[in-house]
Each structure stands twice: as C-alpha cells, then as structure tokens.
C-alpha cells in the first residue's frame, strides 16, 4: 500500500507543469498526503503525550512563525521604494514643515509611522499605493491568524503529531501561494489559491483540538462516541 501511494505521488508530481493550475495541483498533492497521514493516525488516544514525533510539530510551528516574520519584513521593500526621500520632498513638503514645527524633526525615508494607509501615503499614485497596501495586507492577514494556527497545532499535536505536522506544512505552502498571488499581476484575486487551503487547515485543526479536548474529558465516552 505504501508503495502504491509513493507511485501515485510520483505520477502527480510528474503531471505538475508550470502554468495557472500548477499551484492547485501541488496543493492537491500535499493535501492528499496529509489526509493519508490523518487516516492512519490513532485517534483513540485520550491523554496527551509528548514523544519524539512532537518535535515535528514544533519545527513546523517555528517555521510558520518565521514565515510570518519574513512576510512582515517583506513590507519594507514597498514602503522604502515608494515612501522615499524624493517623495517626501515632492509631495509632503507642507506635512514635513508642520511636523518639524510640532516635533522638531522631519519625515524620513519610509514616512514612519504611516503604515501605508494613513495621511502621508494618501499622496501616493494608485499603483504605488496598491503595492504598499498589498504588502501590508499580506502581513496583516498572517498576523490575524498566527495565534490561532499555533494554538490549534500545539493542542492537536499532543494527540496526533505527524498528521498535524503535515497539515502545518500545507498551511506553510498555502501561505506562500497566498502572498505571491496577492502580490502578482492578478492583485487581490490572486490570493484565492492560497486562501482555501489556509482556511481548511485552520478550521480542521480547530475541530481536531475540540475533539481531542472532549475525548480527554471523557465526555465523548459518556455519549457513546
């Protein structure tokens, strides 16, 4: 059976060619692999255990945190590219003079603390404004979901570490597809290929966390489940 699964993976990989559907095929393959791992997991475990396999969960959690950090760092290139010193001189002279009178210092490169949606960035041309705000939105969306995905992985990973780590890998790849698609030529429409697997991964881990928690209490046994 394992040999057949491996041959199936090779066939799917060989069928993935560069093109619009490549990301979807790759995600389908990874989701299949994660599903097979979950199907073979021992879901009868009632009490959490920390064994060597839990290390895979910790590694994936650490990678998710670092990926989020790098996504945040990725906002800097758009910020400093468009909110430049030249932009301040050409478009923000009045605001710069006002700030100097109020605070004693001038606007610098990046126009901090404006995050791209404030008073200063409002003077940007539309293409530059979109680039800055798309980068900010990618980082913001990741931050909004970071706590949940980590908590769900750590809870569920105590009971089914390998399947949970596999779902975490799916989440990592989906996040990269989400960010790349959002920043690509399709704009906001390009994020959909990553959004679906992100949502499914998070919701699935939430359900498994609740399931394992209820099993731990013994409530499911009393209900005959």
């Amino acid at each position: 059976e394992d040999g057949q699964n491996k041959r199936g993976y090779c066939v799917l990989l060989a069928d993935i060619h560069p093109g619009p559907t490549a990301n979807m095929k790759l995600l389908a393959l990874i989701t299949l692999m994660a599903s097979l791992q979950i199907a073979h997991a021992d879901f009868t475990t009632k009490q959490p255990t920390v064994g060597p396999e839990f290390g895979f969960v910790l590694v994936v959690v650490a990678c998710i945190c670092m990926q989020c950090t790098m996504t945040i760092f990725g906002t800097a290139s758009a910020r400093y590219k468009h909110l430049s010193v030249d932009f301040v001189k050409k478009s923000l002279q009045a605001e710069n003079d006002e700030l100097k009178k109020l605070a004693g210092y001038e606007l610098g490169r990046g126009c901090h603390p404006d995050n791209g949606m404030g008073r200063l960035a409002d003077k940007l041309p539309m293409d530059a404004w979109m680039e800055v705000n798309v980068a900010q939105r990618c980082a913001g969306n990741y931050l909004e979901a970071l706590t949940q995905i980590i908590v769900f992985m750590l809870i569920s990973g105590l009971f089914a570490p390998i399947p949970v780590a596999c779902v975490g890998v799916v989440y990592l790849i989906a996040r990269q597809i989400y960010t790349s698609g959002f920043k690509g030529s399709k704009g906001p429409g390009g994020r959909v290929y990553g959004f679906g697997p992100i949502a499914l991964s998070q919701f699935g881990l939430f359900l498994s966390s609740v399931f394992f928690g209820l099993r731990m209490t013994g409530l499911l046994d009393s209900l005959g489940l």
Side-chain angles (χ1 to χ4, degrees):
E1 182 179 355
D2 290 339
Q4 292 177 349
N5 288 338
K6 290 178 180 179
R7 285 193 293 272
Y9 298 155
C10 292
V11 170
L12 284 171
L13 281 172
D15 191 45
I16 295 176
H17 306 289
T21 61
N23 289 341
M24 292 302 294
K25 288 184 178 180
L26 181 59
L27 276 180
L29 171 61
I30 297 170
T31 304
L32 173 62
M33 295 172 66
S35 299
L36 289 173
Q37 288 288 343
I38 292 173
H40 286 84
D42 180 12
F43 288 103
T44 62
T45 304
K46 295 182 180 180
Q47 299 301 321
T49 57
V50 179
E53 292 179 339
F54 189 71
F56 292 110
V57 177
L58 297 181
V59 170
V60 176
V61 165
C63 289
I64 288 175
C65 291
M66 181 52 64
Q67 186 185 49
C68 181
T69 300
M70 297 307 296
T71 303
I72 295 171
F73 285 168
T75 65
S77 60
R79 170 191 286 275
Y80 291 120
K81 174 184 175 182
H82 297 295
L83 299 174
S84 62
V85 174
D86 288 339
F87 171 72
V88 173
K89 291 179 179 179
K90 293 178 181 179
S91 304
L92 299 175
Q93 191 60 54
E95 289 82 357
N96 199 24
D97 292 340
E98 183 179 357
L99 179 64
K100 189 174 182 179
K101 291 178 182 179
L102 291 173
Y105 56 84
E106 298 182 352
L107 290 170
R109 181 169 175 255
C111 294
H112 296 282
D114 195 317
N115 65 352
M117 296 179 287
R119 176 179 175 180
L120 305 179
D122 189 53
K123 300 291 183 69
L124 287 170
M126 180 55 69
D127 59 341
W129 186 90
M130 280 294 294
E131 185 176 348
V132 172
N133 278 273
V134 163
Q136 290 286 1
R137 188 63 205 127
C138 289
N141 183 272
Y142 209 142
L143 281 170
E144 290 163 6
L146 183 63
T147 301
Q148 299 94 303
I149 194 69
I150 290 175
V151 170
F152 296 155
M153 283 193 65
L154 292 178
I155 293 173
S156 299
L158 291 171
F159 298 87
I162 297 299
V164 168
C166 291
V167 174
V169 172
V170 171
Y171 187 86
L172 275 168
I173 296 174
R175 271 292 170 189
Q176 184 59 45
I177 293 173
Y178 177 96
T179 300
S180 299
F182 208 160
K183 292 181 177 181
S185 58
K186 293 184 178 180
R191 62 185 173 163
V192 296
Y193 295 113
F195 177 79
I198 288 171
L200 289 174
S201 298
Q202 186 165 323
F203 188 66
L205 288 172
F206 161 72
L207 291 178
S208 65
S209 297
V210 173
F211 172 79
F212 287 128
L214 291 175
R215 280 196 66 85
M216 188 175 175
T217 66
L219 181 60
L220 295 182
D221 290 337
S222 65
L223 296 175
L225 300 175

